[in-house]
Amino acid sequence: MDLKTRMLQQNYVDVLMVSTNKSMEKLNAKKLAGVEQLIEGTQPNLCLHPHHAASAQTGLRNVHVTGMIRTSDMLTYKRAELYEIYQLLKQKQRTGDATTKAHYMDLQLRIANTLELN
């Protein structure tokens, strides 16, 4: 495999990985902020111990949890594409010259790290 092809493949995988990582960071940050808001806003008393239930004015409270808002499935598609590439690389890892094999191994390791396959 020539240098141009390796660079093209690396760039494609890099774009998928970077956008996937950024999207996951945003989702995780929103998810944590939502949980913190819920806890601060409701201060639920979920303990069933009689001492704690008796001390609360209303006993157990209802806790309303909303689902995480996702405006598209792009993150799902990007992760699926990365996994498909990973599987293809596993099939091809023993083909080509030493440089190509090293290229395939590098891409595999980077994708596995991004998708947390380890």
Side-chain angles (χ1 to χ4, degrees):
M1 178 181 306
D2 67 344
L3 178 61
K4 274 185 171 180
T5 305
R6 287 194 310 270
M7 288 178 63
L8 179 65
Q9 289 177 353
Q10 287 174 345
N11 288 336
Y12 181 67
V13 168
D14 284 345
V15 167
L16 288 172
M17 288 191 310
V18 167
S19 62
T20 299
N21 287 341
K22 285 183 180 180
S23 296
M24 287 304 294
E25 287 173 10
K26 288 178 186 176
L27 286 175
N28 288 336
K30 285 181 184 177
K31 185 175 165 181
L32 289 175
V35 169
E36 288 175 11
Q37 270 185 330
L38 178 67
I39 290 172
E40 288 175 11
T42 60
Q43 293 294 318
N45 179 13
L46 300 177
C47 182
L48 296 176
H49 190 274
H51 172 73
H52 293 125
S55 67
Q57 294 174 356
T58 60
L60 295 177
R61 297 182 190 171
N62 291 329
V63 178
H64 301 282
V65 179
T66 59
M68 182 172 51
I69 298 171
R70 275 182 106 162
T71 57
S72 76
D73 287 328
M74 281 316 270
L75 180 58
T76 302
Y77 293 131
K78 289 174 186 177
R79 291 174 63 83
E81 177 73 5
L82 280 171
Y83 189 73
E84 200 170 311
I85 293 168
Y86 178 80
Q87 293 298 324
L88 181 62
L89 289 167
K90 281 175 66 173
Q91 293 172 5
K92 300 286 185 178
Q93 68 187 355
R94 289 180 170 72
T95 62
D97 61 2
T99 304
T100 301
K101 289 177 184 176
H103 167 71
Y104 289 157
M105 183 187 67
D106 177 59
L107 289 178
Q108 267 187 299
L109 292 171
R110 290 170 49 213
I111 291 171
N113 186 44
T114 297
L115 297 179
E116 298 178 359
L117 299 175
N118 307 348

